[in-house]
Amino acid sequence: MAETTPDVENDKCGDLLDSLRRGRPAAGQDPVKRSQIIDGARRVFIDKGFEAASMNDITREAGVSKGTIYVYFANKEELFEALIEEERGSIFKNMYDLLDRADDLRQTLVKFGKVLSMKITSARVIQAQRTVIGACDRIPDMGARFYERGPKRGHDKVVAFLNAAIDRGLLRIDDVDLAAYQFTELCLAGLFRQCIFAYRAKAPSQEEIDHIVRSGVDMFLKAYGTGSLAEEERHQMIALEAKS
């Protein structure tokens, strides 16, 4: 068995080089075909849910052969994870860049909180999270990976932002990890559960999100803000009044 391995590897390399010479992607390397499969899978998972969806359903919806779909994805679980990664990248791309502009702590928290709340409660994200939750009983490892690659990474960025504000003397927090969770929960107060359980017929309005986030930021800064933050905001208010 071991003696044939180099030949197999050489054959694969030869196929890849041959495909490149012909100007066509090698098997499993065509981004257009991969996107076609993922788009079909998205429609099937939304319609049927993870458990009821089958690779045959996805094959028909994507308009590809069963042989083609297995060149790109080994099984339904791998395809679903690829879809979730693509959705996450599309929806949350650049969102955390808002935390890089931290001249005004309060306004930065408000802007970030509003974007976070809007995205988390959008119909697209709610549907994706329901599908993931539905799959977690059968594949708990997938649920753990989903959390680590998405919510946990975002949480770590909020922690880093809060630590930077602590270093500037604007916040005093004993448990930064807990405070980061508290902040995101304040920005979603009541909204996420109402959306995930379909209590709401549609996503919250911008006005409602704005009210909830500003109230949450006020509460957060009253709990963790320092005298230096209060002084900084007082000077900002004086400057604004002078301009007006």
Side-chain angles (χ1 to χ4, degrees):
M1 183 71 70
E3 293 177 358
T4 63
T5 302
D7 292 335
V8 172
E9 293 300 322
N10 288 337
D11 287 344
K12 289 181 179 179
C13 292
D15 290 343
L16 176 58
L17 291 172
D18 188 47
S19 296
L20 292 173
R21 280 194 292 268
R22 292 196 303 267
R24 300 205 316 261
Q29 302 297 318
D30 185 348
V32 175
K33 185 65 68 176
R34 186 178 189 276
S35 179
Q36 180 182 341
I37 294 169
I38 287 179
D39 286 344
R42 180 184 294 108
R43 294 189 291 271
V44 172
F45 284 130
I46 288 175
D47 181 51
K48 295 177 176 291
F50 176 83
E51 193 67 31
S54 71
M55 290 296 266
N56 285 335
D57 295 327
I58 296 168
T59 296
R60 286 192 295 271
E61 186 65 30
V64 300
S65 69
K66 184 174 287 189
T68 296
I69 204 169
Y70 281 110
V71 166
Y72 285 82
F73 302 100
N75 49 48
K76 183 174 70 170
E77 290 79 7
E78 185 177 298
L79 175 52
F80 182 67
E81 289 198 58
L83 169 61
I84 292 300
E85 284 298 311
E86 184 172 289
E87 289 286 287
R88 180 185 295 120
S90 172
I91 295 169
F92 294 100
K93 182 180 180 181
N94 301 327
M95 184 179 79
Y96 292 95
D97 291 352
L98 290 168
L99 297 178
D100 294 335
R101 299 184 288 274
D103 294 337
D104 186 322
L105 178 60
R106 182 181 297 273
Q107 288 308 310
T108 298
L109 289 174
V110 168
K111 288 178 182 177
F112 175 74
K114 286 165 67 174
V115 172
L116 174 71
S117 184
M118 179 190 70
K119 289 181 180 292
I120 292 295
T121 59
S122 68
R124 186 176 173 187
V125 172
I126 290 296
Q127 183 61 58
Q129 294 196 74
R130 285 176 183 155
T131 306
V132 171
I133 291 169
C136 283
D137 279 344
R138 178 180 172 187
I139 316 169
D141 288 348
M142 185 178 68
R145 287 192 296 273
F146 171 83
Y147 181 78
E148 288 172 356
R149 295 171 183 173
K152 182 63 167 61
R153 287 181 182 176
H155 172 77
D156 291 343
K157 291 180 180 181
V158 175
V159 168
F161 174 81
L162 295 180
N163 276 322
I166 291 170
D167 291 341
R168 291 166 56 196
L170 302 179
L171 298 176
R172 183 181 296 110
I173 304 174
D174 293 329
D175 188 339
V176 182
D177 190 65
L178 173 60
Y181 284 120
Q182 290 171 333
F183 171 71
T184 53
E185 291 293 332
L186 286 169
C187 292
L188 291 163
L191 296 179
F192 177 72
R193 287 184 179 85
Q194 291 175 11
C195 290
I196 202 74
F197 293 115
Y199 180 78
R200 287 174 172 265
K202 56 183 180 180
S205 67
Q206 289 289 339
E207 291 76 14
E208 187 176 8
I209 287 175
D210 183 77
H211 171 68
I212 289 173
V213 170
R214 289 185 183 279
S215 176
V217 170
D218 284 345
M219 184 177 294
F220 186 82
L221 293 181
K222 283 177 182 177
Y224 294 120
T226 64
S228 296
L229 174 62
E231 184 68 13
E232 183 177 284
E233 291 191 331
R234 188 178 72 83
H235 286 304
Q236 290 171 350
M237 184 64 67
I238 292 173
L240 286 174
E241 290 175 351
K243 287 182 180 179
S244 60

